[in-house]
């Protein structure tokens, strides 16, 4: 986990649109891969009967990041659709 996870969590997201959109996609892929790795570690620790609090906290933070950026993407799409709906 270590410093790589800290770098992922602290990394800022550029606004959507244009060439920056690829950075957002890459960032979300990195987070999803890290979540997958943490899930594997948690599963192993559960089977061993060992405490996994630190991994669970990191998992929670990463899920929050994914939801945060998915939500902002949802609202931007919604705001773009409103003028089309109002025209009828």
């Amino acid at each position: 986990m270590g410093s790589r996870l800290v770098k992922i969590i602290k990394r800022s997201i550029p606004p959507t649109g244009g060439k920056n959109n690829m950075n957002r996609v890459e960032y979300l892929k990195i987070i999803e891969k890290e979540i997958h790795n943490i899930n594997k570690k948690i599963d192993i620790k559960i089977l061993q009967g060992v405490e996994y609090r630190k991994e669970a906290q990191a998992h929670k933070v990463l899920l929050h990041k994914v939801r945060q950026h998915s939500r902002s993407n949802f609202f931007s799409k919604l705001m773009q659709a409103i003028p089309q709906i109002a025209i009828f």
Side-chain angles (χ1 to χ4, degrees), residues 57-72:
Q57 182 63 33
H59 183 270
K60 182 178 178 180
V61 169
L62 289 172
L63 279 179
H64 176 74
K65 292 286 185 184
V66 169
R67 288 184 190 125
Q68 179 183 4
H69 298 296
S70 298
R71 181 177 52 216
S72 65

Side-chain angles (χ1 to χ4, degrees), residues 1-87:
M1 209 158 55
S3 65
R4 181 175 175 216
L5 179 60
V6 172
K7 288 178 185 177
I8 291 170
I9 293 171
K10 289 185 176 180
R11 187 173 172 183
S12 63
I13 299 294
T16 57
K19 63 182 180 181
N20 290 335
N21 205 15
M22 188 60 180
N23 289 337
R24 176 184 290 269
V25 171
E26 290 173 358
Y27 176 74
L28 290 174
K29 283 182 182 179
I30 290 170
I31 290 178
E32 289 174 6
K33 185 182 286 187
E34 192 63 32
I35 287 172
H36 183 70
N37 290 337
I38 290 173
N39 281 338
K40 285 182 182 178
K41 289 178 186 177
I42 289 173
D43 290 342
I44 290 169
K45 287 190 173 193
I46 288 173
L47 293 173
Q48 293 174 343
V50 179
E51 186 175 303
Y52 55 93
R53 184 178 300 168
K54 186 169 55 170
E55 288 81 8
Q57 182 63 33
H59 183 270
K60 182 178 178 180
V61 169
L62 289 172
L63 279 179
H64 176 74
K65 292 286 185 184
V66 169
R67 288 184 190 125
Q68 179 183 4
H69 298 296
S70 298
R71 181 177 52 216
S72 65
N73 195 12
F74 169 76
F75 284 121
S76 66
K77 287 180 182 179
L78 180 65
M79 295 307 285
Q80 291 173 356
I82 288 176
Q84 296 171 355
I85 295 171
I87 293 174

